[in-house]
Amino acid sequence: MEPASTTGGSETTRLVGPRDRGGAGGALDLFTEAPEPLPEEPKPMEMSFHHCHREPLPQPGLTPERMQAQRQLCTACAVCCVFMAGEVVGGYLAHSLAIMTDAAHLLADVGSMMGSLFSLWLSTRPATRTMTFGWHRSETLGALASVVSLWMVTGILLYLAFIRLLHSDYHIEGGAMLLTASIAVCANLLMAFVLHQAGPPHSHGSRGPEYAPLEEGSGEPLPLGNTSVRAAFVHVLGDLLQSLGVLIASILIYFKPQYKAADPISTFLFSICALGSTAPTLRDVLRVLMEGTPRSVGFEPVRDTLLSVPGVRATHELHLWSLTFTHYVASAHLAIDSTADPEAVLAEATSRLHSRFGFSSCTLQVEQYQPEMAQCLRCQEPPQA
């Protein structure tokens, strides 16, 4: 019998005659060959970076820098509460508006630190379809709440100091004021020490929260720590200046009671200093909320960097902004030559923006260069502010 074969599925079945088996008569044997192995599916490979992302996926929870900021804020908040209670008692016993002013500033410190702690927790929540950038900007809102609370309390105390300067019907206990003012100075020094950050070596973008305002185009932020801690530290420095002024006034009133006007005068002068110390923080917060160009990044350097990428003829629709003081975002259109490789241009441009300016997120659209782009109004650069 001649052999015949049929194939079905992944197996092959053959009918075998006597000459194939050697001495088996006219019987037919049926056997099954082993199936051919199917091609293996590719296994996911471990990659240091994803196909289009410059950094690994962030781990859930607080970063080490923010955990340090949380510990600092918790410690400073506890110290602040203890000494605030002491100043309220001391100010009441001494009949000193300056001491009560310092206590009110400590109350503002407590509120702002608690708000900062809440914003740190809130910023760990992942991005959603509604909050596509996540909750990073809550940290900036916490800094804004800290500054606004200080300005409100200071405004009230300035009004009370002005009333005391107009009317002299008040008495101050010099000894109690001197003791309380001395304790207040120690308290503010302790809080300033807790909040002060030497910080690790600086890093850019989402890799670390170091921040300090610099001149445009420098691209090297100084390590002054988390935004919330920075705002609280500046806040405490303002309180420390006021406490020193109150201490000087208390010494004067203790030895010269007839100079009791030093109490409202010190309140007036050092409240203004506290307002001035928070002005830079307020300016930076408003810059972030208004989606202005980050202070440590210049428009022209970023534009020139993109134009220096091989194959790029022009750039337009360039937008630079930040979610926080350290989380920079950029988007732009890149017009390239017809001979340029779009993937290579995209990779090189993204790499340069990340390494030179610390952008955490870059969205670049690559398109063919057209001569009419030079006359297009929407393709022109924005004017100077």
Side-chain angles (χ1 to χ4, degrees), residues 7-338:
T7 303
S10 60
E11 298 180 345
T12 302
T13 303
R14 293 177 53 202
L15 295 176
V16 183
R19 57 188 175 188
D20 295 320
R21 298 290 296 170
L28 298 177
D29 285 346
L30 186 68
F31 73 93
T32 303
E33 291 183 352
E36 296 181 0
L38 296 176
E40 295 184 0
E41 295 184 0
K43 297 180 180 180
M45 299 177 61
E46 295 290 335
M47 299 181 66
S48 58
F49 297 108
H50 199 260
H51 58 94
C52 60
H53 304 293
R54 296 294 305 173
E55 295 182 347
L57 187 67
Q59 298 298 322
L62 293 174
T63 62
E65 292 85 358
R66 292 196 174 194
M67 290 184 65
Q68 179 188 4
Q70 189 179 53
R71 289 192 297 268
Q72 289 175 305
L73 288 172
C74 287
T75 304
C77 191
V79 173
C80 195
C81 287
V82 171
F83 284 97
M84 179 187 66
E87 278 201 315
V88 170
V89 175
Y92 175 78
L93 296 176
H95 310 290
S96 171
L97 178 61
I99 296 294
M100 299 299 289
T101 299
D102 207 26
H105 280 187
L106 289 180
L107 176 62
D109 286 344
V110 171
S112 64
M113 290 178 191
M114 292 182 66
S116 297
L117 288 171
F118 176 74
S119 66
L120 279 176
W121 169 79
L122 195 62
S123 64
T124 62
R125 298 184 60 183
T128 64
R129 295 184 181 181
T130 302
M131 308 293 291
T132 55
F133 275 111
W135 301 80
H136 296 284
R137 194 160 283 180
S138 62
E139 184 179 335
T140 306
L141 295 177
L144 177 63
S146 173
V147 173
V148 171
S149 64
L150 176 60
W151 281 44
M152 292 177 61
V153 172
T154 302
I156 295 173
L157 296 172
L158 284 174
Y159 170 76
L160 296 177
F162 181 73
I163 295 299
R164 277 206 169 184
L165 286 176
L166 293 180
H167 308 284
S168 300
D169 53 345
Y170 60 92
H171 173 72
I172 297 177
E173 294 291 339
M177 182 180 179
L178 178 60
L179 177 62
T180 307
S182 301
I183 296 175
V185 171
C186 295
N188 282 289
L189 286 173
L190 180 59
M191 286 191 295
F193 174 77
V194 170
L195 293 172
H196 175 69
Q197 295 188 28
H202 86 276
S203 61
H204 296 289
S206 60
R207 290 176 294 173
E210 295 79 9
Y211 165 77
L214 296 178
E215 296 301 324
E216 287 190 356
S218 59
E220 293 291 336
L222 295 177
L224 287 185
N226 181 271
T227 306
S228 300
V229 176
R230 173 180 178 263
F233 180 71
V234 173
H235 204 151
V236 170
L237 286 183
D239 288 349
L240 177 59
L241 289 176
Q242 177 176 326
S243 297
L244 290 173
V246 172
L247 179 60
I248 295 174
S250 65
I251 294 175
L252 179 61
I253 294 174
Y254 180 77
F255 291 103
K256 299 288 183 177
Q258 63 271 24
Y259 293 140
K260 63 180 182 179
D263 179 73
I265 290 175
S266 63
T267 301
F268 187 80
L269 294 178
F270 287 95
S271 292
I272 295 177
C273 292
L275 292 177
S277 66
T278 57
T281 302
L282 181 62
R283 176 197 59 199
D284 295 340
V285 165
L286 293 178
R287 191 184 188 101
V288 171
L289 295 180
M290 292 299 294
E291 297 187 342
T293 301
R295 296 191 68 233
S296 59
V297 176
F299 183 90
E300 290 80 6
V302 173
R303 177 203 60 198
D304 295 341
T305 298
L306 292 175
L307 292 176
S308 66
V309 175
V312 175
R313 292 282 301 276
T315 180
H316 58 96
E317 297 291 340
L318 176 59
H319 298 286
L320 312 173
W321 72 100
S322 55
L323 300 179
T324 68
F325 294 140
T326 59
H327 198 102
Y328 302 158
V329 185
S331 66
H333 290 198
L334 303 181
I336 64 174
D337 292 324
S338 58

